[in-house]
Amino acid sequence: MPDNDIAVPEPGVSFVMPVLNERAYLEHAIQSVLAQELPVAAELVLALGPSTDGTTELARRLAADDDRIQLVDNPAAHIPVGLNAAIRASRFATIVRVDAHSELSPGYAARALETLDRTGAANVGGVMRADGRTPFQKAVARLYNSPVGLGGGAYHGGTHEGEAESAYLGVMRREVLDAVGLFDETIRRGEDWELNLRIRQAGHLVWFDPSLSVTYWPRESWVRLARQFRATGAWRGELVRRFGRRNGIRFFAPPALVILVAVAVVVGVLQLSGVLSGALSAILSAIAYLPLLAYVLLVVAVAALPGGGGIRQRLWTLLVMPTMHLSWGLGFLGGVLRGARDTVDASRLGTRNTPLP
């Protein structure tokens, strides 16, 4: 809820970044923030979770070297809790959310301020441009940037500027954030979508500007990717429980795929056991197997298309694409049926990443 004792923010930009086990990416992310050229004062507030890979020590060293960096604690390690702590500790009128696993493009913040002024929007976001270092990470990044990977949301490759449902990261007016009550700390994933829903319900505009670009580095291993997508799917299921049809139809495609796989397995078992035969077996086979065959052909086509990289990246694509969809779908069904409860994204816990070059 809004805090009536919040001081009037000063003109300027406060970048806020939740951080947990990001030693391999943190310095590059911070450099991309501090390199932003702005006509107003700026600061960077890091919300430090209980990292185990040396991230906290690195953050303290960087803060000691630059007085624009502030540190706040986020012992719960939850993203919305950390974001709120950083926002409350900030002092400027514009809030720019930054991910420690991302890098802002040159001119990002200045362009976003111009778009805020031009459109009168309360929140402005741009394009997430995923990138990778290894064949695995490159395969994941390619699917992030493709409509068949993450469902075609505007910030995964949209080219037309305009009003949006949500915003990737987001450049936000502090007065609007204070009015709607900051991030909902009971939501562990999808907190940005829910915040933007409240912003729009309050009569404000959320805006997509494709000229704004952020480089995002996906998870580095198959296990971490599966954990991330399962957690994200579970919280989307929770959001469906809470907000129903306000969720876009694209969110229901992965759980439909999971259900289809389950139906195909049941049909196959019944056929092998002799319970199903004849015309009924043929009808159920067409219902269960043909859509799955079409999906398999789609996965193969995506891996084989130009731009798919070398052979290792293409082979990873064959595994990564169904992993993303099925993990997300399984998480979604669990979230819808029983709620997300205490589901967290465990893909950042105890991580040991290879430093960026």
Side-chain angles (χ1 to χ4, degrees):
M1 297 302 293
D3 186 343
N4 294 329
D5 296 326
I6 291 177
V8 176
E10 306 171 31
V13 175
S14 294
F15 298 87
V16 296
M17 181 191 298
V19 179
L20 177 67
N21 288 325
E22 294 288 5
R23 182 176 177 82
Y25 296 90
L26 181 62
E27 192 162 4
H28 286 260
I30 289 177
Q31 288 172 353
S32 78
V33 170
L34 299 182
Q36 297 292 309
E37 296 183 358
L38 289 164
V40 294
E43 65 179 351
L44 169 60
V45 186
L46 305 181
L48 300 179
S51 296
T52 59
D53 68 344
T55 292
T56 299
E57 292 75 15
L58 174 61
R60 288 172 178 163
R61 176 172 63 79
L62 295 172
D65 293 338
D66 196 314
D67 59 10
R68 290 174 293 177
I69 302 175
Q70 293 188 53
L71 306 178
V72 296
D73 290 328
N74 177 23
H78 297 314
I79 290 175
V81 175
L83 286 170
N84 285 347
I87 292 169
R88 293 187 181 107
S90 68
R91 68 180 194 271
F92 293 129
T94 302
I95 301 296
V96 180
R97 178 178 173 176
V98 189
D99 187 343
H101 225 59
S102 66
E103 297 174 27
L104 304 182
S105 60
Y108 173 91
R111 169 68 184 185
L113 291 180
E114 293 174 1
T115 303
L116 278 176
D117 290 339
R118 173 170 54 84
T119 62
N123 190 8
V124 170
V127 177
M128 172 202 282
R129 298 200 185 282
D131 201 354
R133 307 192 306 273
T134 64
F136 173 83
Q137 201 175 39
K138 289 178 180 179
V140 177
R142 182 166 175 258
L143 290 168
Y144 262 88
N145 297 330
S146 168
V148 300
L150 291 183
Y155 59 79
H156 290 299
T159 57
H160 300 291
E161 184 177 10
E163 187 174 353
E165 175 186 21
S166 187
Y168 175 56
L169 298 181
V171 179
M172 299 164 275
R173 298 182 189 273
R174 172 66 178 272
E175 60 183 352
V176 174
L177 287 179
D178 290 339
V180 301
L182 304 185
F183 289 91
D184 185 337
E185 296 184 2
T186 70
I187 298 175
R188 303 298 183 228
R189 305 287 295 180
E191 73 287 338
D192 48 353
W193 179 89
E194 190 275 338
L195 173 65
N196 282 293
L197 174 62
R198 280 186 282 125
I199 289 173
R200 291 186 289 110
Q201 288 176 333
H204 301 289
L205 188 65
V206 177
W207 195 261
F208 171 71
D209 183 350
S211 70
L212 302 175
S213 176
V214 179
T215 298
Y216 173 78
W217 299 95
R219 301 300 190 264
E220 305 86 351
S221 75
W222 179 80
V223 171
R224 289 178 183 145
L225 181 74
R227 288 174 177 172
Q228 177 196 18
F229 271 75
R230 180 186 172 277
T232 303
W235 279 103
R236 176 54 59 178
E238 175 69 32
L239 292 175
V240 167
R241 284 170 65 95
R242 297 190 190 191
F243 303 106
R245 295 179 62 185
R246 294 186 181 94
N247 293 267
I249 189 67
R250 71 180 186 277
F251 297 125
F252 295 86
L257 176 63
V258 172
I259 293 171
L260 188 62
V261 170
V263 169
V265 169
V266 171
V267 170
V269 169
L270 292 177
Q271 289 174 330
L272 290 174
S273 64
V275 175
L276 274 181
S277 61
L280 180 59
S281 177
I283 293 171
L284 292 178
S285 294
I287 293 173
Y289 301 148
L290 290 181
L292 279 182
L293 176 60
Y295 178 78
V296 170
L297 293 176
L298 175 64
V299 174
V300 172
V302 170
L305 284 173
I311 184 64
R312 291 180 62 196
Q313 181 180 332
R314 292 178 186 275
L315 290 174
W316 273 122
T317 299
L318 295 174
L319 178 62
V320 164
M321 186 169 163
T323 295
M324 291 167 61
H325 293 161
L326 293 173
S327 297
W328 201 99
L330 283 168
F332 179 94
L333 291 173
V336 167
L337 294 175
R338 65 177 186 274
R341 299 181 181 179
D342 58 352
T343 299
V344 297
D345 178 4
S347 64
R348 285 280 182 262
L349 302 180
T351 183
R352 292 184 180 180
N353 300 324
T354 303
L356 285 166

